[in-house]
Amino acid sequence: MIKHRFFINRIDSIEEWLESYRRKGYRLADVKVSTGRHEFVKTEGKDTVPKVRVDYRVFKKQEDFEDYLSLFEDCGWRHIGGTRTNGLQYFEQAAPFASDEIFSDSISKAKRYKRISYMWLHLSVMYIPMAVVLHTSGAFDFTKLWHLKELYYTPGLWNMEGMHFWRAFLFETPFAAMRGFGGLLFLLLILLGAWFGVRSLFWYLKERKNCN
Amino acid sequence: MNLSQYLPLTETTYFILLALLKPGHGYYVMQKVEELSGGKVRIAAGTMYGAIENLLKQKWIESVPSNDKRRKVYQITILGKEVLNLETARLRDLIRIAESCGLQAEGSSHD
């Protein structure tokens, strides 16, 4: 059985969602974090279905990632999903000596959201200089959206005919689209990044508050 | 640098620093902490990894070369030892004060 659940979801809700399938006797067999694809397999009896827990971490170096995975493996938690760079790390409780949870205090658990928040805010801020460059080059001139013809720069394009016209027109369309909508796209990315970042920061602060 | 601003240490931090007086990887630290605390302090993998990362950032522990290709081995630094000594002195002081107020350790009798 294949279900989708995306990484923009709150981790606690992903864990609860996985738990609901576990209770029905479904074992998580495979996860693709980048597409949110979760593959479940029906098993016999719910007692045999292992628990799954999710952490959030990205790693600059492969050796750091290996060290991290080794620590979890040593503790009886098998890595079943997530890559070095895509953040969500899925672990399955694989040994009888494994701890009940992957976090032993609530502050370290809350810090998952702090890391997610920083990732989104970082992404958002990274796009700002690019947006400024685009702005100064006139990409944010929204009035052009009402004059689509002006987005095409090929000299004499609108006087061409037949195949000649279509070839030149189609060739330039991606560039024209970038000129017209590129600015909007950047603005959207910045706002989305900021929104997801603030949302995660709020979750973090809320969980932290519950700790004290 | 005034190290006493970092005190008091959390129980987890105190035990990890104690465990890393001898070099060891993450799982060794977890087992050592459990052993030292008589099973009272059990650190889970995610919490352990975050704690190590934090202590590395503060330069209280450092990664040392080892034969293990997959696992990093850590050891307490001179700075870390200073912090550990300060915290131990603080705790000793507290106990001394408590005793001067007539409080005795559980199970021990006054002579």
Side-chain angles (χ1 to χ4, degrees):
Chain A
M1 182 176 63
I2 289 161
K3 297 274 172 188
H4 285 79
R5 189 87 174 184
F6 292 103
F7 57 88
I8 56 168
N9 282 292
R10 189 179 168 148
I11 298 178
D12 288 288
S13 83
I14 296 175
E15 285 179 336
E16 276 164 31
W17 178 72
L18 293 171
E19 196 62 24
S20 72
Y21 282 104
R22 188 173 89 92
R23 278 197 295 269
K24 285 180 223 155
Y26 287 97
R27 180 181 184 161
L28 184 62
D30 190 47
V31 198
K32 296 274 179 290
V33 174
S34 48
T35 55
R37 184 181 181 278
H38 293 70
E39 192 178 337
F40 294 93
V41 179
K42 181 85 177 154
T43 59
E44 300 302 318
K46 62 179 174 180
D47 295 337
T48 56
V49 186
K51 198 189 270 181
V52 173
R53 287 292 175 266
V54 184
D55 190 11
Y56 178 88
R57 269 188 192 279
V58 290
F59 299 86
K60 284 192 186 117
K61 291 184 206 149
Q62 183 63 26
E63 60 192 82
D64 291 342
F65 188 43
E66 301 254 330
D67 177 50
Y68 169 77
L69 297 183
S70 304
L71 180 62
F72 276 78
E73 263 167 42
D74 290 345
C75 296
W77 287 87
R78 198 163 65 88
H79 189 248
I80 54 168
T83 65
R84 182 173 70 82
T85 51
N86 70 11
L88 288 188
Q89 311 293 346
Y90 285 65
F91 293 95
E92 182 185 75
Q93 202 177 32
F97 63 86
S99 52
D100 240 21
E101 297 290 334
I102 58 171
F103 294 102
S104 45
D105 61 50
S106 28
I107 290 185
S108 61
K109 194 177 175 191
K111 278 189 178 160
R112 292 182 299 182
Y113 293 125
K114 191 181 173 188
R115 293 191 289 273
I116 293 178
S117 169
Y118 282 5
M119 180 276 291
W120 284 116
L121 293 177
H122 184 75
L123 197 73
S124 176
V125 170
M126 288 284 284
Y127 275 115
I128 290 174
M130 287 197 237
V132 169
V133 170
L134 280 171
H135 176 69
T136 50
S137 68
F140 285 160
D141 186 4
F142 298 119
T143 55
K144 272 186 183 162
L145 294 176
W146 310 112
H147 308 279
L148 290 178
K149 272 189 176 183
E150 286 174 21
L151 293 173
Y152 291 82
Y153 290 175
T154 308
L157 174 71
W158 306 105
N159 300 324
M160 291 178 188
E161 279 173 14
M163 274 300 289
H164 206 58
F165 165 76
W166 286 110
R167 219 171 57 187
F169 175 77
L170 290 175
F171 175 77
E172 207 187 351
T173 295
F175 299 99
M178 268 307 288
R179 275 176 215 129
F181 303 97
L184 274 179
L185 195 71
F186 270 87
L187 217 58
L188 197 72
L189 283 172
I190 290 167
L191 291 176
L192 266 181
W195 162 242
F196 286 137
V198 168
R199 201 175 61 146
S200 295
L201 196 65
F202 173 75
W203 291 336
Y204 167 61
L205 295 173
K206 206 174 145 195
E207 276 201 23
R208 257 208 97 113
K209 216 173 134 195
N210 293 340
C211 300
N212 301 329
Chain B
M1 188 172 33
N2 182 17
L3 289 174
S4 44
Q5 62 175 308
Y6 298 112
L7 307 185
L9 301 181
T10 63
E11 204 174 32
T12 311
T13 306
Y14 191 74
F15 271 116
I16 295 173
L17 289 178
L18 274 181
L20 284 176
L21 286 169
K22 277 186 193 147
H25 51 65
Y27 189 58
Y28 160 81
V29 175
M30 291 167 72
Q31 287 176 310
K32 188 77 189 169
V33 168
E34 197 175 334
E35 180 199 316
L36 286 172
S37 68
K40 264 189 269 177
V41 180
R42 300 185 69 179
I43 309 169
T47 303
M48 186 71 223
Y49 192 85
I52 287 177
E53 196 185 38
N54 240 339
L55 292 174
L56 282 172
K57 217 178 275 171
Q58 282 174 297
K59 298 200 162 61
W60 293 358
I61 65 169
E62 64 193 350
S63 148
V64 293
S66 78
N67 298 324
D68 198 326
K69 285 244 158 40
R70 294 197 69 206
R71 289 166 188 81
K72 286 194 180 175
V73 172
Y74 307 98
Q75 191 173 13
I76 196 166
T77 60
I78 294 167
L79 187 66
K81 257 185 205 160
E82 276 176 46
V83 175
L84 194 58
N85 281 330
L86 272 177
E87 176 70 347
T88 310
R90 189 188 68 87
L91 293 170
R92 230 181 246 135
D93 223 29
L94 281 181
I95 290 165
R96 192 183 52 75
I97 293 165
E99 282 176 351
S100 78
C101 293
L103 204 71
Q104 291 300 313
E106 242 177 87
S108 76
S109 59
H110 194 25
D111 44 32

